[in-house]
C-alpha cells in the first residue's frame, strides 16, 4: 500500500481515492458542499482513462450509473441535501438489480432546500432510507480527510463483495477541511471479471445477460432468501467503530463525523478536570456497531449522543445497541458544530442530576 502523503480537502480525497480504487465512471450534478468531488472528477477522470458526465440533474446521473454498474464498471455519484433526495429511486433500482455502486452524501443542514452549511441531519435518510423497498446500504462515516480517502477506497471493494450500494456519509465540515492524508495505491479494475455483467455477444449462442429485478429472474422466494442472507452477513461482519477512554468512563459520548472530533477534545479536556468521559465513534452507521456496546462496564451512567440535528437521529440506534439498559441524553446543536466546553458543561449537569434523559428522539 502506498505511503504517499499529501495535503488535500476532504472532497478531493474522496475523488482521488475513488480514481485510485479503479472508478472509471462518474456521473453527478453540482451542489454545495460536495461540488469539489464533481469538479475533481471532471479535471482528472480523462487522465485515468475513464468517463465523466455532468448529467442534466441528479435523476439522470443515477440512471447513467445503472448502466455503468450493469456493465461491470466501478462507478460513483455524489450529492448533498435535496440532490441526494433525488437519488433515492436510483439507489432502490440498483439494489433491486443487485448492482454495486458507491454514492457519496456530503450532508448539509436543513429540510427542503436547506442551507449550504455543515449538518448531520441526513442520517435517517442514509441509514433508514436509500429508496423504497426491502434493502440495505452499507453506510460509512469518515471523521477526517485521511478517512475520506481510506473509506472511499474500501467502499468499492465492499460494493462488489456484496453486490450492493455503499454510501459514504460525509458532512460539510469534513468535506471542506484540509488535512494531511495517505493516498492508497492505484489499481485497475477488470470490467469483465463478473459473470453477471452485460457484455458484447458476438455469436447467436453467446450468453445474453439482462438487467432486471432479480426476483423476476430467479424467483421471489430465492431472491428474498438471498437478500436476507446478504443483509445478515453484512450486519455481522461489517460493523466498524473506534473507542476512546471507555474502560473507566462515567458517561460515554456517541458521535460520528465532525461531531466525533469535538468529542475527542471534550474527553481529553474533561479528564484534566477529573470528569471521566469516554467516546464510541461509529465508523459504519449501517451496520450500526452494536458490538461496541456489548462489554460496556456497569459503572457507566449513560450515553450522550452528540449530533448536528434538531432531534436525535442516531438515538434510536444507540438505544437498540445498548438494549435500553442505560439512559440516553442528547447534546444536539443543529447547524452549529458543537463546542467542547459546552459539551463538558452539559455532561457535568447530567452527573449533577440537572438534566433528564431523552424521552422523545
Amino acid at each position: 500500500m502506498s505511503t504517499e502523503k499529501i495535503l488535500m480537502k476532504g472532497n478531493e480525497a474522496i475523488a482521488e481515492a475513488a480514481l485510485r480504487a479503479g472508478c472509471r465512471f462518474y456521473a453527478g450534478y453540482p451542489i454545495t458542499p460536495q461540488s469539489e468531488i464533481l469538479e475533481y472528477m471532471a479535471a482528472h477522470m480523462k487522465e485515468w482513462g475513464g468517463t465523466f458526465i455532468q448529467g442534466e440533474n441528479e435523476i439522470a446521473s443515477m440512471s447513467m450509473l445503472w448502466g455503468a454498474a450493469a456493465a461491470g464498471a466501478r462507478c460513483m455519484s455524489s450529492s448533498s441535501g435535496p440532490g441526494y433526495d433525488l437519488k433515492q429511486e436510483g439507489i432502490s433500482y440498483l439494489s433491486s438489480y443487485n448492482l454495486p455502486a458507491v454514492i457519496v452524501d456530503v450532508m448539509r443542514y436543513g429540510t427542503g432546500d436547506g442551507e449550504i452549511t455543515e449538518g448531520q441531519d441526513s442520517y435517517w435518510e442514509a441509514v433508514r432510507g436509500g429508496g423504497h423497498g426491502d434493502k440495505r446500504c452499507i453506510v460509512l462515516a469518515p471523521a477526517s480527510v485521511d478517512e475520506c480517502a481510506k473509506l472511499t477506497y474500501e467502499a468499492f471493494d465492499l460494493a462488489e463483495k456484496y453486490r450492493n450500494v455503499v454510501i459514504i456519509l460525509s458532512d460539510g465540515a469534513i468535506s471542506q477541511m484540509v488535512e494531511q492524508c495517505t493516498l492508497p495505491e492505484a489499481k485497475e479494475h477488470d470490467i469483465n471479471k463478473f459473470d453477471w455483467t452485460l457484455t458484447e455477444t458476438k455469436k447467436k449462442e453467446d450468453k445474453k445477460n439482462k438487467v432486471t429485478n432479480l426476483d423476476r429472474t430467479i424467483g421471489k422466494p430465492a431472491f428474498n432468501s438471498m437478500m436476507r442472507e446478504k443483509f445478515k452477513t453484512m450486519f455481522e461482519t461489517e460493523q466498524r467503530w473506534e473507542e476512546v477512554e471507555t474502560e473507566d468512563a462515567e458517561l460515554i459520548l456517541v458521535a460520528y463525523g465532525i461531531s466525533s472530533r469535538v468529542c475527542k477534545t471534550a474527553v481529553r479536556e474533561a479528564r484534566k478536570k477529573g470528569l471521566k468521559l469516554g467516546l464510541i465513534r461509529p465508523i459504519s452507521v449501517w451496520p450500526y456497531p452494536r458490538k461496541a456496546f456489548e462489554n460496556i462496564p456497569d459503572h457507566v451512567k449513560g450515553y450522550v449522543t452528540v449530533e448536528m440535528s434538531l432531534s436525535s437521529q442516531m438515538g434510536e440506534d444507540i438505544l437498540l445497541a445498548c438494549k435500553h439498559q442505560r439512559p440516553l441524553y442528547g447534546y444536539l446543536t443543529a447547524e452549529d458544530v458543537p463546542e467542547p466546553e459546552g459539551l463538558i458543561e452539559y455532561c457535568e449537569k447530567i452527573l449533577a442530576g440537572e438534566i433528564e434523559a431523552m424521552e422523545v428522539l
Side-chain angles (χ1 to χ4, degrees):
M1 192 67 84
S2 170
T3 57
E4 179 185 355
K5 297 182 183 298
I6 189 172
L7 283 174
M8 298 191 86
K9 183 178 281 193
N11 280 340
E12 295 171 341
I14 288 172
E16 177 66 21
L19 292 170
R20 289 175 176 243
C23 176
R24 296 296 176 262
F25 185 88
Y26 174 94
Y29 192 78
I31 183 171
T32 304
Q34 69 79 44
S35 294
E36 291 93 348
I37 299 175
L38 178 141
E39 293 164 357
Y40 196 97
M41 286 298 204
H44 296 283
M45 181 64 86
K46 186 176 181 180
E47 65 194 63
W48 290 87
T51 300
F52 164 87
I53 299 178
Q54 179 178 312
E56 58 266 39
N57 54 41
E58 288 85 356
I59 297 173
S61 300
M62 284 301 296
S63 297
M64 296 172 192
L65 222 62
W66 302 351
R74 287 195 159 185
C75 56
M76 185 175 83
S77 187
S78 59
S79 195
S80 179
Y84 184 66
D85 297 348
L86 294 172
K87 294 185 179 296
Q88 302 310 300
E89 183 183 36
I91 293 173
S92 184
Y93 272 107
L94 284 165
S95 301
S96 74
Y97 304 153
N98 250 24
L99 292 177
V102 175
I103 314 293
V104 183
D105 178 16
V106 180
M107 293 181 289
R108 63 193 234 181
Y109 172 72
T111 54
D113 188 44
E115 305 294 335
I116 62 172
T117 56
E118 60 270 316
Q120 292 183 311
D121 55 4
S122 291
Y123 179 93
W124 276 333
E125 185 174 26
V127 173
R128 303 282 196 271
H132 57 285
D134 286 328
K135 46 104 207 61
R136 283 291 196 180
C137 299
I138 294 176
V139 186
L140 306 176
S144 66
V145 175
D146 193 64
E147 275 196 341
C148 283
K150 180 176 182 291
L151 294 179
T152 302
Y153 191 80
E154 294 176 2
F156 288 92
D157 290 332
L158 288 172
E160 289 173 357
K161 177 180 179 180
Y162 295 107
R163 287 183 63 182
N164 211 80
V165 174
V166 177
I167 296 169
I168 301 296
L169 189 65
S170 183
D171 58 63
I174 298 296
S175 73
Q176 296 299 315
M177 65 173 56
V178 177
E179 291 181 323
Q180 179 177 277
C181 71
T182 301
L183 294 176
E185 182 180 1
K187 60 184 177 182
E188 282 299 328
H189 167 69
D190 181 5
I191 197 172
N192 297 311
K193 67 186 292 186
F194 303 113
D195 61 7
W196 49 263
T197 57
L198 301 182
T199 56
E200 179 184 6
T201 55
K202 297 181 179 180
K203 298 179 181 179
K204 187 176 181 179
E205 62 270 19
D206 287 349
K207 177 185 176 183
K208 295 180 178 64
N209 288 336
K210 296 180 180 180
V211 174
T212 184
N213 282 28
L214 284 185
D215 61 354
R216 297 174 187 171
T217 56
I218 64 175
K220 289 183 179 179
F223 175 77
N224 293 340
S225 177
M226 177 191 69
M227 296 298 275
R228 288 193 194 100
E229 188 61 32
K230 180 169 76 168
F231 298 156
K232 179 181 178 181
T233 302
M234 289 193 298
F235 183 81
E236 288 297 324
T237 60
E238 301 303 337
Q239 296 183 34
R240 305 180 183 202
W241 71 92
E242 178 188 10
E243 294 181 47
V244 179
E245 302 281 4
T246 58
E247 297 85 357
D248 62 343
E250 297 176 89
L251 288 173
I252 293 181
L253 312 176
V254 187
Y256 67 97
I258 186 62
S259 295
S260 70
R261 295 175 66 121
V262 175
C263 288
K264 284 187 177 181
T265 300
V267 169
R268 183 171 61 250
E269 295 302 315
R271 285 181 172 265
K272 292 179 182 178
K273 301 171 62 175
L275 176 60
K276 294 181 179 179
L277 299 183
L279 169 66
I280 293 176
R281 176 175 75 92
I283 298 172
S284 63
V285 286
W286 201 91
Y288 200 75
R290 296 186 187 180
K291 296 176 184 179
F293 295 79
E294 290 178 353
N295 298 310
I296 296 300
D298 293 337
H299 57 255
V300 172
K301 298 177 181 177
Y303 297 100
V304 182
T305 182
V306 184
E307 306 172 49
M308 296 171 61
S309 60
L310 287 174
S311 59
S312 174
Q313 295 198 7
M314 187 171 60
E316 291 177 347
D317 285 327
I318 297 172
L319 288 174
L320 286 171
C322 73
K323 301 178 180 178
H324 291 258
Q325 292 179 349
R326 290 181 177 82
L328 175 68
Y329 305 88
Y331 190 73
L332 310 174
T333 60
E335 75 271 30
D336 297 319
V337 177
E339 296 287 341
E341 297 79 12
L343 178 54
I344 292 171
E345 182 180 352
Y346 182 83
C347 291
E348 289 174 334
K349 289 181 178 179
I350 291 173
L351 294 175
E354 300 176 18
I355 295 178
E356 294 184 357
M358 297 175 65
E359 295 182 359
V360 180
L361 298 177

